């Protein structure tokens, strides 16, 4: 039995086309293979760099930076607490000074009022004493006007 070549139409390859295809496929294969190897090498380098960033010297630097930041935050927090304590202490001292000044003012006011009342009482007593000396004279003048005749003034207390 002999094989009869069947016409396959456009799928039927020619030997010359097969040879040209094989000759062109070889360099193309080596070129693509070289590119894939280079791509793999780049991907491996990238993975190594990423590993160093996440677990190498960069990670150590990042941890140190985080520790420094945490220490700085702690110092700032302590400084804020200290400032709040100083501010509260200043408010308390200010309130105490205001209360002391108020007490001094009240005390001075009371002293001035007491001195004023004592002065007024002394002046009233002096005025009363002075007027009591003139009362008999004034009474006799008034009685003389009312009666129409001169009335003599008495010097003693007429009670």
């Amino acid at each position: 039995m002999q094989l009869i070549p069947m016409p396959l139409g456009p799928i039927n390859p020619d030997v010359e086309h097969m040879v040209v295809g094989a000759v062109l496929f070889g360099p193309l294969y080596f070129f693509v293979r070289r590119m894939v190897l280079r791509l793999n090498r780049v991907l491996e380098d990238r993975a190594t760099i990423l590993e160093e960033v996440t677990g190498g010297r960069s990670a150590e630097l990042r941890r140190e930076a985080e520790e420094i930041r945490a220490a700085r935050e702690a110092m700032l927090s302590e400084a804020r607490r200290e400032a709040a304590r100083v501010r509260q202490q200043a408010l308390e001292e200010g309130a105490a000074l205001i209360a002391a000044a108020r007490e001094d003012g009240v005390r001075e006011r009371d002293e001035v009022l007491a001195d004023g009342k004592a002065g007024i009482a002394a002046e009233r007593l002096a005025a009363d004493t002075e007027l009591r000396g003139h009362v008999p004279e004034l009474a006799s003048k008034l009685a003389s006007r009312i009666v129409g005749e001169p009335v003599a003034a008495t010097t003693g207390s007429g009670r």
Side-chain angles (χ1 to χ4, degrees):
M1 204 175 285
Q2 192 179 41
L3 290 174
I4 303 176
M6 291 176 76
L8 295 175
I11 300 178
N12 191 13
D14 291 332
V15 176
E16 303 89 31
H17 291 189
M18 290 292 284
V19 171
V20 169
V23 168
L24 292 178
F25 179 75
L28 182 65
Y29 172 78
F30 289 112
F31 177 75
V32 169
R33 181 174 176 230
R34 184 174 175 201
M35 294 308 275
V36 168
L37 292 176
R38 180 182 258 175
L39 182 64
N40 284 337
R41 189 171 45 240
V42 168
L43 289 175
E44 288 173 6
D45 290 343
R46 179 175 176 239
T48 304
I49 291 171
L50 286 175
E51 182 179 318
E52 288 178 2
V53 167
T54 57
R57 176 74 179 138
S58 297
E60 291 176 23
L61 290 175
R62 186 176 298 124
R63 278 192 297 275
E64 288 177 22
E66 289 295 325
E67 291 171 3
I68 291 171
R69 187 177 68 76
R72 184 188 59 139
E73 289 295 327
M75 286 177 26
L76 284 174
S77 176
E78 181 62 31
R80 286 185 189 110
R81 278 193 295 274
E82 180 68 20
R85 187 186 61 75
V86 168
R87 186 172 37 251
Q88 182 64 30
Q89 184 179 3
L91 285 173
E92 291 171 358
E93 288 176 3
L97 289 174
I98 289 171
R102 187 173 287 142
E103 289 175 8
D104 287 345
V106 168
R107 184 180 41 78
E108 288 179 14
R109 181 197 66 191
D110 290 344
E111 288 175 5
V112 168
L113 285 175
D115 290 345
K117 286 179 182 179
I120 290 172
E123 287 179 13
R124 177 183 274 167
L125 183 61
D128 188 54
T129 305
E130 186 179 332
L131 286 176
R132 286 192 189 267
H134 296 292
V135 167
E137 184 183 317
L138 291 173
S140 72
K141 283 183 183 179
L142 184 60
S144 297
R145 281 188 183 170
I146 293 175
V147 174
E149 296 180 8
V151 178
T154 59
T155 55
S157 67
R159 289 184 187 178

